[in-house]
Amino acid sequence: MKLLTGGKDISELVESISWSGDTKQVARKINFTIAKNSKDASFPKVVINEGDEIIMRNDSNENIFGGIIFDIDKTASSNVVTYLAFDLMFYVNNSDVSKVYEGLPEDITKEIAAELGIECGEIAATGVSVYMPCLGKKAYEGIMMAYTAASRKNGKKYIPLMQKVNKLCVVEKGTQCGVVLSGGYNLTDANYKSSLQSLVNKVIITDKNGNAVNTVEDKDSQSKYGTVQKVYKQEDGKDATAEAKNLLKTTEQSASVNGIPNDFRAISGYSLVIQEPDTGLYGAFYIESDTHTFTNGKAEMQLTLAFENMMDEIEI
């Protein structure tokens, strides 16, 4: 593992690295600590400022992450300095756009990226044309509005990611990353939880005056778990039946796994295969968040998994 800034390899001074991502935040980040010793004039020093670029490479000298330093944390009594860097998705998340876009989502994404001065890499093709007023929205919202409209037509899920250090890409969310974690081999721990605390299996639809006009229910769930009902009041411009169905919930499932050695392919937005007998986690799961840590020559990863492939849908 190598860490470079300004073209210089600072790996020997790095004490720990945490590289992470989350489908809800999208921008990947890296936290790392650099050793310091202000009392020893011969101790190697490195100067890193806000706005400097940081590159992380694997042992094969391939670029894994590229980002910009945003935070520097120094404490007088500490023998390390802590740095935080985000990849260029930070700018997509935080920059505003105000324009009416029309065309394919892949072309709209390229147009938005050009406005921000960001290069594009592989952009998922949809073949679905959209008309999209995007006034006073974040650039990320603009991209997801376009791809949400396409998803409504073709049923596919999408997520924008920064790849090859500085290229904005859009990939199909849930694509297999090629990683298989197996108990007793490269899977060090696994957790599975199921809960009925959010159970809703009957929804009464009412008009604006509170009069019941329809009912949506899951009778199989009611016979198995009992009945928990909610009331949904009709809203203008919304499909009441569809909205009521979205309120139905049965068993909620969550899972997390730890793997060693670390595998750079296992990142948020993709899926992987788990084989773990004690928790019963078998099959393909979606990575919702990931943290890859490197400390004292030891590398491991912690992954939060989802059982359904959910897209961050933003309506036009």
Side-chain angles (χ1 to χ4, degrees):
M1 177 60 55
K2 293 181 180 179
L3 213 58
L4 299 91
T5 183
K8 296 181 180 180
D9 188 347
I10 59 172
S11 305
E12 290 186 358
L13 295 174
V14 176
E15 295 206 344
S16 66
I17 300 173
S18 176
W19 177 55
S20 60
D22 190 304
T23 57
K24 295 178 177 62
Q25 184 193 45
V26 185
R28 296 191 64 79
K29 63 182 179 181
I30 184 172
N31 282 276
F32 62 97
T33 58
I34 296 286
K36 70 168 186 175
N37 188 342
S38 56
K39 297 180 181 180
D40 185 351
S42 64
F43 192 84
K45 294 179 175 62
V46 60
V47 178
I48 303 176
N49 298 310
E50 298 91 337
D52 287 352
E53 183 182 46
I54 193 78
I55 300 289
M56 183 172 70
R57 291 178 180 168
N58 62 17
D59 294 336
S60 300
N61 218 33
E62 298 169 322
N63 292 335
I64 300 300
F65 171 88
I68 303 298
I69 298 293
F70 278 88
D71 291 358
I72 302 174
D73 190 354
K74 301 177 182 180
T75 302
S77 59
S78 175
N79 60 355
V80 297
V81 181
T82 301
Y83 299 88
L84 169 65
F86 288 99
D87 68 17
L88 297 190
M89 277 302 300
F90 178 93
Y91 297 91
V92 180
N93 288 341
N94 291 279
S95 296
D96 293 335
V97 292
S98 192
K99 188 175 180 179
V100 176
Y101 298 95
E102 186 172 8
L104 302 172
E106 46 269 41
D107 292 334
I108 292 173
T109 298
K110 293 174 183 177
E111 190 175 345
I112 290 174
E115 291 179 34
L116 303 182
I118 296 175
E119 292 183 59
C120 283
E122 186 174 337
I123 305 291
T126 65
V128 178
S129 185
V130 300
Y131 173 79
M132 192 181 76
C134 187
L135 307 177
K137 300 289 185 181
K138 298 299 180 185
Y140 167 80
E141 292 177 312
I143 293 170
M144 293 310 298
M145 286 165 65
Y147 273 95
T148 296
S151 178
R152 292 278 194 269
K153 296 286 184 66
N154 62 23
K156 296 179 180 180
K157 311 294 184 182
Y158 301 95
I159 185 171
L161 297 170
M162 201 61 60
Q163 297 180 338
K164 296 182 179 179
V165 176
N166 61 357
K167 289 182 171 55
L168 174 62
C169 300
V170 178
V171 302
E172 283 193 35
K173 188 174 181 291
T175 299
Q176 279 281 342
C177 68
V179 175
V180 178
L181 292 180
S182 179
Y185 172 56
N186 56 355
L187 182 63
T188 57
D189 200 6
N191 174 265
Y192 167 73
K193 179 181 179 180
S194 60
S195 174
L196 274 177
Q197 292 193 49
S198 298
L199 176 67
V200 176
N201 48 26
K202 183 178 181 180
V203 179
I204 299 172
I205 301 172
T206 69
D207 60 21
K208 293 180 179 180
N209 296 319
N211 301 308
V213 295
N214 197 5
T215 300
V216 173
E217 55 190 328
D218 183 345
K219 292 187 177 180
D220 289 340
S221 172
Q222 290 174 22
S223 62
K224 189 174 182 179
Y225 304 120
T227 301
V228 176
Q229 72 178 33
K230 296 286 186 182
V231 174
Y232 174 76
K233 183 183 290 187
Q234 291 178 331
E235 299 176 80
D236 292 337
K238 291 188 177 182
D239 184 331
T241 301
E243 295 295 326
K245 286 181 178 179
N246 286 336
L247 294 175
L248 295 175
K249 296 183 183 296
T250 54
T251 304
E252 289 189 332
Q253 299 171 300
S254 61
S256 61
V257 293
N258 291 0
I260 190 170
N262 170 77
D263 196 315
F264 291 107
R265 297 173 297 172
I267 63 172
S268 305
Y270 289 85
S271 63
L272 79 169
V273 173
I274 306 291
Q275 300 171 342
E276 206 294 305
D278 290 333
T279 57
L281 293 174
Y282 273 93
F285 297 88
Y286 304 99
I287 306 172
E288 290 301 298
S289 67
D290 67 280
T291 301
H292 300 248
T293 55
F294 311 88
T295 309
N296 298 323
K298 180 181 178 181
E300 64 178 329
M301 59 186 178
Q302 300 84 38
L303 310 175
T304 301
L305 307 177
F307 290 74
E308 293 183 73
N309 189 18
M310 303 298 291
M311 176 178 165
D312 184 13
E313 298 182 343
I314 301 179
E315 301 292 342
I316 295 176

